[in-house]
Amino acid sequence: HFSYDGSREVIDGISFEIRRGQTVALVGPSGGGKSTLSELLPRFYDPSAGEILIDGISLRDYTQESVRAHMSVVAQDTVLFNDTIENNIGMGKRGATHEEVVEAAKVANADCFIRECTDGYGTNIGDRGMKLSGGQRQRVSIAVALIQRPRFLIADEPVSALDVTIQAQILKLLRELRDELDLSYLFISHDLNVVYQLCDSALVMKQGRIVEQGTVDELFDHPKDPYTKQLLAAAE
């Protein structure tokens, strides 16, 4: 459970499990509690009631630093600054070396386009990275998330602002990263077609509650909740 002001519950009695190496989708409307739930996992907030457990240990028994050292976020609205590519990627890890920046860029499939830039890793990308294309910005954002070598990645609508071709490339990259790095994902999306391409199972949220959950195939083939059926109709 979670509420911001002690009255209306934004998260209302949710319980689920993510196993190592799994990609679990969180699907639902805006205002349904998806992003709030994703903010509880890195301890931006603590639950009002109940517990979040990592390996059976309460999140409250870990320091924020130790949790966030193993957890990263890739969002729809990439947070990039009016600085060089190197300094932007390096923000993901305090004291990151040039070699670590380059390695993260290679893993995120960004190194090739960076080397083609006028000043390579020293290229200024402008305010919010506007000198880069949407796909390039998202690859830099993934490099920022990966430089500390996380075990768990929260992907909050990471491809919704991209065109179909670039979207397919980023999804392919996310699949490869999951398999190569043994990452676990919480993948937040409103697009069930995207969920079907990447995720093992899905949780359908509405008004702070999970109204349906199961494997992706189960939800697509035998949806039970009316809202899930509505989402599937919109995806066709």
Side-chain angles (χ1 to χ4, degrees):
H1 296 262
F2 177 77
S3 63
Y4 288 103
D5 54 11
S7 56
R8 185 180 72 86
E9 289 198 325
V10 183
I11 303 296
D12 186 7
I14 281 182
S15 181
F16 65 95
E17 181 178 66
I18 301 176
R19 294 184 178 275
R20 184 168 178 171
Q22 271 192 325
T23 300
V24 176
L26 201 56
V27 183
S30 297
K34 304 187 304 298
S35 293
T36 298
L37 181 60
S38 74
E39 291 171 350
L40 295 177
L41 301 182
R43 283 201 76 187
F44 295 145
Y45 308 98
D46 283 328
S48 306
E51 289 187 302
I52 297 172
L53 307 176
I54 298 180
D55 292 337
I57 300 171
S58 174
L59 200 59
R60 289 185 173 93
D61 292 335
Y62 295 95
T63 64
Q64 289 183 344
E65 290 76 15
S66 67
V67 170
R68 294 174 190 174
H70 298 282
M71 193 177 295
S72 291
V73 179
V74 177
Q76 171 186 353
D77 190 12
T78 54
V79 181
L80 299 175
F81 296 92
N82 189 0
D83 204 336
T84 65
I85 294 174
E86 174 150 4
N87 286 343
N88 270 277
I89 295 176
M91 285 188 304
K93 181 181 179 182
R94 184 178 299 175
T97 65
H98 174 71
E99 290 73 21
E100 288 174 320
V101 169
V102 172
E103 180 60 27
K106 287 180 178 178
V107 174
N109 199 19
D111 180 68
C112 290
F113 89 77
I114 292 172
R115 293 189 182 278
E116 292 174 355
C117 293
T118 306
D119 296 313
Y121 282 83
T123 301
N124 185 287
I125 61 175
D127 189 35
R128 301 179 67 83
M130 294 308 295
K131 293 182 180 180
L132 302 177
S133 70
Q136 289 171 340
R137 286 196 299 273
Q138 201 60 291
R139 284 185 172 87
V140 170
S141 179
I142 292 171
V144 175
L146 293 179
I147 193 169
Q148 65 176 358
R149 296 191 172 275
R151 309 302 301 175
F152 186 76
L153 197 65
I154 299 169
D156 190 350
E157 299 278 10
V159 298
S160 62
L162 305 175
D163 65 45
V164 175
T165 301
I166 302 301
Q167 189 179 92
Q169 294 174 3
I170 297 297
L171 287 173
K172 179 176 181 290
L173 173 61
L174 291 173
R175 282 194 297 270
E176 292 171 347
L177 291 174
R178 176 191 60 193
D179 297 340
E180 292 172 9
L181 304 179
D182 196 23
L183 286 170
S184 304
Y185 287 163
L186 179 66
F187 190 88
I188 301 172
S189 180
H190 67 280
D191 188 338
L192 290 185
N193 289 318
V194 169
V195 168
Y196 192 76
Q197 293 179 60
L198 182 68
C199 302
D200 306 306
S201 60
L203 312 168
V204 182
M205 282 190 71
K206 186 179 180 183
Q207 297 178 342
R209 293 176 175 267
I210 294 176
V211 295
E212 188 163 5
Q213 59 183 308
T215 68
V216 171
D217 286 335
E218 288 170 347
L219 292 184
F220 268 74
D221 296 339
H222 305 289
K224 297 177 182 177
D225 185 81
Y227 180 69
T228 309
K229 294 177 181 178
Q230 179 183 333
L231 287 176
L232 286 170
E236 291 179 352

